[in-house]
Amino acid sequence: NAGVTQTPKFQVLKTGQSMTLQCAQDMNHNSMYWYRQDPGMGLRLIYYSASEGTTDKGEVPNGYNVSRLNKREFSLRLESAAPSQTSVYFCASSEARGHTYEQYFGPGTRLTVT
Amino acid sequence: SQKIEQNSEALNIQEGKTATLTCNYTNYSPAYLQWYRQDPGRGPVFLLLIRENEKEKRKERLKVTFDTTLKQSLFHITASQPADSATYLCALSLSGGYNKLIFGAGTRLAVHP
C-alpha cells in the first residue's frame, strides 16, 4: 500500500517549457488535490477534484491545468513555466469517513524554473 | 481579510516539557480544524481533527483545543521528545464545502535533549 505517489521528485525547467506532474493514490479515495508550498507561506490549493470526472479551481490556479485521468490519477500541467512557479508541489487525497476528511499527502515535487 | 496565523518563530523547548503551539484565524467560520506534522523534505501527515462543537480532543501525548469565540486553536505535546521536532501546520475546513482546507504557514518545533 504505497499511499500517494508523485513523480518526478525534482525537476528543473527553463522559462517557457512545459511539464506534467503525476500523482496516483491507491486508497480508493474520491477526492484529490494539488497544492504548492512556498517558504513562509501555507500550502495553497491550486486545483482539486471532488470525484472522478470533475475538477475545480482552488486559490491559485493561474498558469496550471489538471486532468483527473481516472479515480487513481490526478495530473498537474504547467503549459509555459515561469520563475514564479518555482515551488514544492504536493498532491493529496481524501475520503469522507463519518464526516472527517483527513488528507493524505504525497512526498512532493521540488520544481525550479530558471 | 481572512487570515490564519501561526507563530512564525521557531519554538525551542527542553525534552520532557509541554510544547504549546497556537493557531489564530480571522474572518473564517470553520466547521473543523486539523493539525498536521511536516518533516523536512516530506509531505504533511495528519495528526488530529477537532470539530467546531468540540472543546478538546486528545490522542496519546497530543491535545488540541478549539475556541470559536477566541478564534483560536491550541496544540499541545506533553512529555516532548527530540523526535517531536518538526513543523506543525493547522488547517481550517469551512462548512458547506466538501473538504477544501486552508493552511497556516506552520510553526517549527525544536525539542532539545
Side-chain angles (χ1 to χ4, degrees), chain A residues 49 51-55 68:
Chain A
S49 172
S51 61
E52 187 179 353
T54 69
T55 60
R68 184 74 184 267

Side-chain angles (χ1 to χ4, degrees), chain A residues 30-67:
Chain A
N30 277 317
S31 304
M32 297 186 74
Y33 317 79
W34 276 106
Y35 293 91
R36 61 178 288 173
Q37 187 174 40
D38 301 295
M41 302 185 74
L43 288 154
R44 291 184 292 169
L45 184 64
I46 305 171
Y47 270 93
Y48 64 98
S49 172
S51 61
E52 187 179 353
T54 69
T55 60
D56 282 289
K57 295 178 181 179
E59 181 186 354
V60 288
N62 291 344
Y64 306 95
N65 284 303
V66 291
S67 295

Side-chain angles (χ1 to χ4, degrees), chain B residues 29-72:
Chain B
S29 296
Y32 55 87
L33 188 147
Q34 300 184 15
W35 283 88
Y36 288 77
R37 169 184 172 141
Q38 187 174 23
D39 292 287
R42 309 191 82 143
V45 174
F46 172 79
L47 295 174
L48 278 171
L49 176 150
I50 187 166
R51 295 185 182 83
E52 60 180 334
N53 60 351
E54 296 176 316
K55 296 286 188 202
E56 182 180 297
K57 186 73 79 70
R58 292 176 185 259
K59 179 182 174 183
E60 297 171 355
R61 293 185 296 111
L62 308 180
K63 184 178 87 171
V64 173
T65 62
F66 193 10
D67 189 326
T68 54
T69 302
L70 289 179
K71 296 187 182 296
Q72 181 182 77

